[in-house]
Amino acid sequence: MNREDFKKKHGIIGVSHEINDLVDIVIQVATSDITILIYGESGVGKEVFARAIHESSKRANKDLISVNCGAIPEGILESELFGHKRGSFTGADDNRKGYFEIANEGTLFLDEIGELPLTTQVKLLRAIEFKEFMRIGAETVTKVDVRIIGATNKDLQEQVDAGRFREDLYFRLKAVTLQIPPLRKRKEDIPELVNYFLKSY
């Protein structure tokens, strides 16, 4: 599939060199299982690119599970990601699968990954490295096969330097890095977007 067909298929709007370069990279890496980290301000289309990667991968017939890490309270984040066993804490009335288990054989898109607390980062690193995790309250590990795509509007290297993000996790995540520039830095894409929205609405 050539670049223009790829953009049309996945709803990627833009003619700028920046967008074209990003699409070329995505076409190259989508079919592998390599971990990808997407940088960009809110609204630049990080999830659009994540979905394009998933839909072009060998996991396309499985689910893409999107999780906004910044929108889940810290107290329940670990349970949401990894699940829990019945009775493991107050309110845990049933066994529950987490997003990792739900995304098994598919793709897990972790948006705002820079918001993860350090304690959760440790478990995420293990899940990426060893493809296994433990539900809260469980005594055995659960094996999973999940591709990870992370996204953030923060500079994770700065977060690492400040001690707010684990360096080992950062290096695991940034195997391939995509930087999506804001629209103000690619103004030639504005007419394309205007035409797209005129046709849509």
Side-chain angles (χ1 to χ4, degrees):
M1 183 181 298
N2 66 36
R3 181 199 294 157
E4 293 308 312
D5 289 340
F6 187 91
K7 288 196 291 186
K8 187 174 182 180
K9 179 180 178 180
H10 298 291
I12 298 172
I13 313 298
V15 295
S16 61
H17 290 302
E18 292 88 347
I19 292 297
N20 286 337
D21 287 347
L22 286 169
V23 169
D24 289 345
I25 294 169
V26 167
I27 291 171
Q28 289 177 40
V29 302
T31 54
S32 74
D33 265 344
I34 198 164
T35 302
I36 296 175
L37 182 60
I38 306 174
Y39 281 106
E41 296 177 9
S42 296
V44 295
K46 297 188 289 294
E47 188 162 357
V48 172
F49 274 89
R51 189 165 295 280
I53 292 164
H54 171 73
E55 291 175 354
S56 304
S57 74
K58 60 187 178 184
R59 299 173 183 269
N61 62 333
K62 300 293 183 178
D63 289 335
L64 169 69
I65 303 298
S66 298
V67 183
N68 185 332
C69 300
I72 302 172
E74 186 173 336
I76 63 169
L77 180 58
E78 195 174 312
S79 172
E80 291 292 306
L81 288 175
F82 303 112
H84 60 254
K85 298 290 284 184
R86 180 180 179 182
S88 56
F89 55 86
T90 303
D93 299 326
D94 294 293
N95 293 333
R96 185 185 183 282
K97 289 183 178 181
Y99 291 122
F100 261 88
E101 215 166 335
I102 295 168
N104 190 35
E105 297 185 349
T107 304
L108 185 59
F109 175 55
L110 298 174
D111 199 5
E112 294 192 38
I113 199 167
E115 302 294 333
L116 285 176
L118 286 166
T119 51
T120 308
Q121 290 176 33
V122 175
K123 296 202 170 188
L124 174 59
L125 177 64
R126 180 172 182 82
I128 294 172
E129 285 186 331
F130 300 106
K131 297 184 180 296
E132 66 182 29
F133 62 89
M134 289 183 73
R135 288 185 185 182
I136 296 173
E139 297 175 353
T140 56
V141 298
T142 300
K143 295 282 188 180
V144 284
D145 175 20
V146 175
R147 184 188 195 166
I148 301 293
I149 302 174
T152 182
N153 57 13
K154 292 186 173 183
D155 185 327
L156 288 192
Q157 183 61 64
E158 285 185 1
Q159 297 293 104
V160 168
D161 295 341
R164 291 189 291 268
F165 203 87
R166 291 183 60 95
E167 187 172 27
D168 46 7
L169 176 58
Y170 173 53
F171 280 107
R172 275 284 175 181
L173 291 170
K174 74 180 192 89
V176 171
T177 302
L178 304 179
Q179 180 84 48
I180 307 176
L183 196 56
R184 64 180 177 276
K185 292 187 177 178
R186 47 184 177 91
K187 294 180 181 177
E188 60 268 47
D189 290 338
I190 293 174
E192 293 286 312
L193 286 162
V194 169
N195 287 333
Y196 171 78
F197 288 122
L198 282 173
K199 288 177 182 175
S200 297
Y201 298 109

